[in-house]
Amino acid sequence: MNGGNLKKNCVLKDDNSLKWLNLPPEIWLVIISKNLNNTFDVIRFRSVCSLWRSLFPPTFLSSSCTCRIPDGKFLLFIQTKIYRLESSCSSNKGWIIKVEESKSGKFHHLDVLTNTHISHKYPFNVLDLTNLRVKELCHAYTINFSKDGGDLIKFKPLNEVFKVVLFSVEGLGQMVFVLYKDRKLRVSNIGYNNLIIVDDGSRVYDDIVFHMGKIYVVDNSGIVFWIDCSSFKLVQCSSSLNCDTLKKKNLISSNGSLFIVELYLKRTTVNTWKLHIDVNVLRVGEKSSEWICVRDLGDALFVLGKDTNFSLLAKDYHGFEGNCIYFMCKGKTSCYNLKTSRLKIVDDIFGPCPTLFKCGNKH
């Protein structure tokens, strides 16, 4: 691309703009790229002119990676991200949105709890970023697989996987920890051909989370371990909860503390159909033998999703309530209030309001 083309493709207002535009490309890449904090920042940067678009090609946005496992399958790890959206012309409250980069490089709007694709009815099908502030809250990964590792279109969802955590280990590179639906924990280096079972395979696990620089897991008896990534050994850091193993234990990292949300749903059909719900929140104490029962989260709330759990402050978001647990129940987005022990359906709680979308071609 020559200088004449640059002038045609970028609007220059004065000589200072021209000098600024002619900075060496390495300056743009080294300095500016460090200040592009999320995918939407990169998209906005690339939209300014063809020069800026050429400095950050679409591959810069890609956060997927692949590896191969012993049964011959090629695994594709696709990142999903949860963002806070805030309108520049409204209050300081925001909305939650979850997106996934598709195999074609475009982005899909996902349901926060289930990861199902959300199709917006015409004309509200393109998210308008012109008047929005965007902040990344957290990210997770889903796994697709292929037998030959070729065309990305051939990759299909790997349904036997429950949750995935990627973690960079000094000297070992990027590691992937995979919790399968058989509740066995497996680990591998990205790019290596083995996905080994952690420990002797006798334990079964309910959840895995990244917390304060370490990977933590909880087994079905409520014992929490952190994983020593140099030896792949489990280090116990809590006592057992001595609870019903049927209660699903969800790990949440929030404000420097590690929490467990025990969730038990049971349908009873004595005389009339009824759903029995039992929810407990506990915090791992500083002493390894200590469990602290939490009865009031204050303004905080916990969200239990398919591939990640996270915490928010209700005052910062439209429609949310503090001291509540949000999760999927009977196919509906539900809110459980810890104070009243009541459950209600809140299907419209996640996702920005329609006015943040604009007309456009469907992707």
Side-chain angles (χ1 to χ4, degrees):
M1 184 179 292
N2 59 43
N5 288 333
L6 293 182
K7 293 180 181 179
K8 292 180 181 179
N9 292 315
C10 294
V11 178
L12 304 178
K13 295 183 178 180
D14 52 39
D15 290 339
N16 289 330
S17 296
L18 181 60
K19 294 177 182 178
W20 180 66
L21 176 65
N22 289 330
L23 288 172
E26 57 269 20
I27 297 297
W28 293 95
L29 293 173
V30 173
I31 297 178
I32 295 183
S33 64
K34 293 180 179 180
N35 293 284
L36 301 178
N37 297 317
N38 57 62
T39 301
F40 288 111
D41 285 346
V42 178
I43 292 173
R44 282 172 164 170
F45 183 88
R46 295 185 75 245
S47 68
V48 173
C49 66
S50 60
L51 170 62
W52 291 17
R53 200 154 43 247
S54 68
L55 292 171
F56 295 90
T59 53
F60 185 84
L61 297 170
S62 178
S63 54
S64 62
C65 55
T66 60
C67 75
R68 191 176 183 179
I69 56 179
D71 64 3
K73 290 179 182 176
F74 287 84
L75 302 184
L76 174 67
F77 301 92
I78 299 178
Q79 193 175 73
T80 61
K81 292 184 178 182
I82 294 177
Y83 291 97
R84 167 189 165 88
L85 303 181
E86 181 182 329
S87 174
S88 59
C89 56
S90 68
S91 68
N92 60 353
K93 288 196 173 185
W95 295 268
I96 295 295
I97 190 171
K98 188 172 189 178
V99 298
E100 174 194 70
E101 183 180 356
S102 71
K103 302 179 188 72
S104 63
K106 296 179 180 179
F107 291 89
H108 290 150
H109 184 189
L110 303 180
D111 182 277
V112 172
L113 298 183
T114 66
N115 277 6
T116 55
H117 288 196
I118 298 176
S119 298
H120 296 280
K121 296 181 180 180
Y122 183 83
F124 302 115
N125 58 356
V126 177
L127 187 62
D128 184 359
L129 296 175
T130 55
N131 292 311
L132 292 176
R133 290 186 286 268
V134 183
K135 178 182 178 181
E136 181 181 333
L137 298 180
C138 59
H139 66 265
Y141 288 88
T142 59
I143 298 184
N144 287 17
F145 78 95
S146 170
K147 292 183 178 179
D148 58 16
D151 192 339
L152 292 181
I153 301 299
K154 296 181 180 179
F155 279 83
K156 305 297 181 183
L158 191 63
N159 294 321
E160 60 259 36
V161 167
F162 168 61
K163 191 170 286 188
V164 181
V165 175
L166 268 66
F167 182 55
S168 294
V169 180
E170 187 176 355
L172 296 175
Q174 194 167 36
M175 310 296 297
V176 54
F177 296 85
V178 182
L179 186 58
Y180 275 67
K181 287 187 177 178
D182 64 5
R183 299 164 79 184
K184 302 295 184 182
L185 180 63
R186 295 166 173 83
V187 64
S188 176
N189 292 74
I190 293 294
Y192 282 71
N193 295 338
N194 61 333
L195 199 61
I196 62 173
I197 293 180
V198 177
D199 71 50
D200 58 6
S202 61
R203 292 183 182 274
V204 291
Y205 301 93
D206 277 7
D207 207 358
I208 181 172
V209 71
F210 176 79
H211 170 70
M212 303 298 287
K214 294 180 179 179
I215 305 295
Y216 288 81
V217 293
V218 59
D219 71 6
N220 67 334
S221 71
I223 301 177
V224 176
F225 305 85
W226 66 272
I227 303 174
D228 184 342
C229 292
S230 62
S231 62
F232 300 125
K233 299 295 184 181
L234 297 179
V235 181
Q236 184 172 336
C237 58
S238 84
S239 60
S240 172
L241 288 174
N242 295 317
C243 59
D244 190 340
T245 57
L246 294 177
K247 291 183 178 180
K248 173 70 168 59
K249 297 155 191 69
N250 303 271
L251 289 172
I252 298 180
S253 177
S254 175
N255 197 30
S257 295
L258 186 62
F259 292 83
I260 283 184
V261 177
E262 287 188 302
L263 187 62
Y264 179 62
L265 306 178
K266 182 180 180 180
R267 295 179 177 88
T268 58
T269 56
V270 178
N271 298 325
T272 58
W273 189 97
K274 186 178 181 181
L275 180 66
H276 174 72
I277 300 175
D278 187 10
V279 179
N280 296 309
V281 179
L282 303 105
R283 179 168 60 85
V284 181
E286 294 181 1
K287 298 180 180 179
S288 61
S289 60
E290 183 182 29
W291 279 105
I292 300 173
C293 184
V294 179
R295 304 190 185 279
D296 189 355
L297 295 172
D299 192 53
L301 61 99
F302 292 160
V303 180
L304 310 181
K306 181 178 181 179
D307 56 11
T308 187
N309 306 321
F310 58 95
S311 175
L312 301 173
L313 292 178
K315 66 181 178 62
D316 293 334
Y317 295 90
H318 294 280
F320 285 93
E321 297 179 30
N323 201 31
C324 289
I325 311 296
Y326 291 81
F327 57 97
M328 186 61 62
C329 178
K330 295 172 56 180
K332 301 288 186 179
T333 303
S334 305
C335 169
Y336 182 88
N337 188 297
L338 290 175
K339 181 178 180 180
T340 64
S341 299
R342 291 184 177 180
L343 183 78
K344 65 178 180 179
I345 305 301
V346 286
D347 264 346
D348 59 347
I349 194 68
F350 292 110
C353 63
T355 57
L356 298 184
F357 290 82
K358 64 180 181 180
C359 300
N361 296 323
K362 290 186 176 182
H363 294 281

